[in-house]
Amino acid sequence: MQHESRNIGMLMDLYEMTMAHGYFDKFENTDLVCFDVFFRKNPDEAGFSIFAGLEQIIDYIEHLHFDEEDVEYFRSLHLFSDAFLEYLKNFSFKGDIYSFPEGAVIYPNEPVMTIVAPLIDAQIVETAVLAMMNHQSLIATKANRIVRSAQGRGVSDFGARRAHNVDAAVYGARASYIGGVDSTATVLAGQMFNIPVSGTMAHSWVMYHDSEYEAFKSYAEIYPTNSVFLVDTYDVLNSGVPNAIKVAKDILEPQGQRLKGVRLDSGDLAYLAKRARRMLDAAGMEDCKIIASNSLDEYTIESLLRQGGPIDAFGVGERMITAKSDPVFGAVYKIAGVRKQGVWEPRIKVSESVEKITNPGLKKVYRVYSSSGKAIAELITLNTETPDGSQPYRYIDPEKPWKVLNFENCTFKEMQQLVVKSGKRTQPSPSLQEVRDFVNHQLKHEIWEEEQRFVNPHKHYLDMSPAYYKMKMNLLHHVEN
Ligand SMILES: Nc1ncnc2c1ncn2[C@@H]1O[C@H](COP(=O)(O)OP(=O)(O)OP(=O)(O)O)[C@@H](O)[C@H]1O
Ligand SMILES: O=P(O)(O)OC[C@H]1O[C@H](OP(=O)(O)OP(=O)(O)O)[C@H](O)[C@@H]1O
Ligand SMILES: O=C(O)c1cccnc1
């Protein structure tokens, strides 16, 4: 779609272009550099996050170019030489990207993506890559928490109207579908990404009609197989639910149809759901679903279910589409290596805070699985290493480097794949359904329940091969002296 392949090449911070200009003037753009994309902390103090946005990143990379008007804009800033502006006219991204698959469970401080590209190419994509990854990973991670809190009950995305503008609504819907919601109310997202769309009715429908009964009746006449009535406009228990039952009896049941559901959108949702359930059951409408909405998130949903609220499905908007409880996914883009005259030199960023010291060099990241198939740790190795699971594998926990530790009876899965080669995608994109199924598969079979709980989840280990740890320590020692 046009919207998908638009040129957003100008989405960058100015310093990326001023640095690119500097590199152009002072260096050959034949040297390669390696940048890692990683994040430092799971939102909401969670045990893991979900990676999303890769598809849009690859699309951006493949289409990255500068139009005549873009070049003229740069010229108007009086910062760039004519030679550099000429160079931009024919620019395309020529590097490679290694990445975790979209939908992967990801952990802090591991390289989720690695960009290996000529200096200028790698420098100017920083902001766009981070913006796409940060937004969609944030929403996919939040949505996944909300979906898990619903314990198998349906969740629909109601968020577009409260999203931080159009892109956040549309790509937020995409990300929340990856995270596991069943449908979206956002039609544009449904059309663009083939996400199932669903919806009920607004208060305006009820209020436009002369009575609540009339409102439900006319809706049922148009949608006899697909009616969900919003029952809280006037009085849920004295008017909304009784009118819903009456219309089901007067209009739907004589046609052999059933009322699909009622939606509660205010008040004490657990209490109202219990009372509504009793009234519906007493009317022989056990199959009529109760849907709840109103500023829900994983905490309110957990609480409603703990209170025994007989709610079958949830509509979730503002707190999911804005990830309200912790709205920043802090992925960063850090240089890890430079290839000069064909030889890679690692680079490390030293910082006062240990968490901010980067992991240098070209590297591989493996997920380590126990014999039961559970993911027990991540392992960073040198790019040249392939861990052997057939015998005990010695590793270093960088938080306790003095300990002698071994992985036994474990398998190692390399997590990054080559997704872009010389600026072009290497494989067809998976469907959104496949990405969503992948999320589900990992959580069901690979990720410990202890990592999935909301309160004090188990911290996943990020370990290192002895050779990688040694290289990092040598480099740190060298830099500090
Ligand atoms: N039984 C419950 N337990 C926990 N939280 C609940 C329960 N019932 C409702 N909530 C949540 O409490 C909050 C109530 O918000 P608020 O006071 O704005 O609702 P309201 O006044 O009933 O509705 P509105 O102002 O939207 O018409 C919402 O986030 C809702 O999801
Ligand atoms: O609360 P959210 O999780 O964002 O879910 C979406 C909300 O959007 C609609 O409300 P509307 O815009 O009509 O406003 P309202 O809050 O007055 O119901 C709907 O009735 C939900 O309450
Ligand atoms: O379909 C609905 O009920 C709906 C959609 C968006 C926002 N609020 C409600």
Side-chain angles (χ1 to χ4, degrees), residues 114-167:
T114 297
I115 284 90
V116 180
L119 192 50
I120 293 175
D121 304 37
Q123 188 71 72
I124 66 179
V125 301
E126 169 175 352
T127 299
V129 166
L130 290 180
M132 289 183 253
M133 166 172 175
N134 276 326
H135 173 244
Q136 288 202 49
S137 301
L138 178 72
I139 306 304
T141 302
K142 181 69 174 176
N144 183 255
R145 291 168 64 78
I146 289 169
V147 167
R148 280 185 286 129
S149 74
Q151 298 174 33
R153 293 162 189 83
V155 177
S156 184
D157 159 38
F158 280 5
R161 65 192 56 202
R162 312 266 200 264
H164 298 150
N165 218 327
V166 175
D167 268 6

Side-chain angles (χ1 to χ4, degrees), residues 169-417:
V170 170
Y171 294 103
R174 178 183 188 275
S176 65
Y177 190 60
I178 289 175
V181 307
D182 301 285
S183 60
T184 182
T186 308
V187 171
L188 180 55
Q191 182 193 31
M192 283 174 66
F193 305 121
N194 200 22
I195 302 172
V197 286
S198 68
T200 69
M201 63 172 57
H203 294 108
S204 54
W205 176 269
V206 182
M207 291 158 77
Y208 173 77
H209 288 81
D210 291 338
S211 71
E212 193 177 48
Y213 177 83
E214 279 300 317
F216 294 168
K217 176 170 173 285
S218 53
Y219 204 86
E221 283 165 355
I222 314 168
Y223 302 108
T225 60
N226 197 18
S227 278
V228 175
F229 300 150
L230 177 59
V231 291
D232 75 333
T233 307
Y234 303 115
D235 184 330
V236 173
L237 300 177
N238 293 309
S239 158
V241 176
N243 276 325
I245 292 171
K246 201 159 175 350
V247 170
K249 302 289 166 201
D250 292 351
I251 310 296
L252 294 172
E253 292 183 13
Q255 300 176 50
Q257 302 295 348
R258 309 287 295 172
L259 179 60
K260 206 168 149 198
V262 295
R263 176 161 74 98
L264 302 170
D265 189 44
S266 57
D268 186 322
L269 297 170
Y271 169 77
L272 291 172
K274 285 180 198 169
R275 294 287 305 272
R277 184 74 272 157
R278 259 185 266 149
M279 292 163 78
L280 292 166
D281 290 353
M285 294 168 64
E286 292 86 353
D287 54 336
C288 179
K289 306 273 187 247
I290 297 180
I291 296 146
S293 55
N294 191 19
S295 305
L296 296 173
D297 62 13
E298 68 271 42
Y299 304 108
T300 41
I301 291 175
E302 244 191 359
S303 168
L304 291 172
L305 296 180
R306 211 178 314 116
Q307 293 165 60
I311 299 167
D312 301 290
F314 301 92
V316 185
E318 60 194 33
R319 294 192 188 179
M320 179 167 74
I321 210 73
T322 64
K324 189 176 178 199
S325 53
D326 198 354
V328 180
F329 198 89
V332 295
Y333 189 84
K334 297 288 165 202
I335 194 162
V338 175
R339 195 186 72 171
K340 295 198 165 168
Q341 280 88 48
V343 179
W344 279 101
E345 298 170 8
R347 291 284 192 269
I348 192 164
K349 178 172 180 283
V350 184
S351 170
E352 289 301 311
S353 67
V354 177
E355 311 84 66
K356 290 207 167 178
I357 297 176
T358 59
N359 287 320
L362 285 183
K363 59 188 88 60
K364 284 190 189 168
V365 48
Y366 292 90
R367 187 154 292 167
V368 186
Y369 293 89
S370 68
S371 52
S372 68
K374 293 291 184 198
I376 55 174
E378 311 292 270
L379 176 73
I380 294 184
T381 71
L382 295 175
N383 202 35
T384 46
E385 292 181 274
T386 307
D388 175 6
S390 67
Q391 43 198 305
Y393 179 89
R394 172 84 206 281
Y395 69 91
I396 308 279
D397 175 347
E399 290 182 11
K400 300 170 195 141
W402 59 87
K403 279 190 146 182
V404 177
L405 299 164
N406 290 294
F407 290 127
E408 296 196 36
N409 300 317
C410 287
T411 49
F412 299 88
K413 183 159 111 193
E414 196 178 339
M415 295 307 289
Q416 286 191 344
Q417 301 154 7

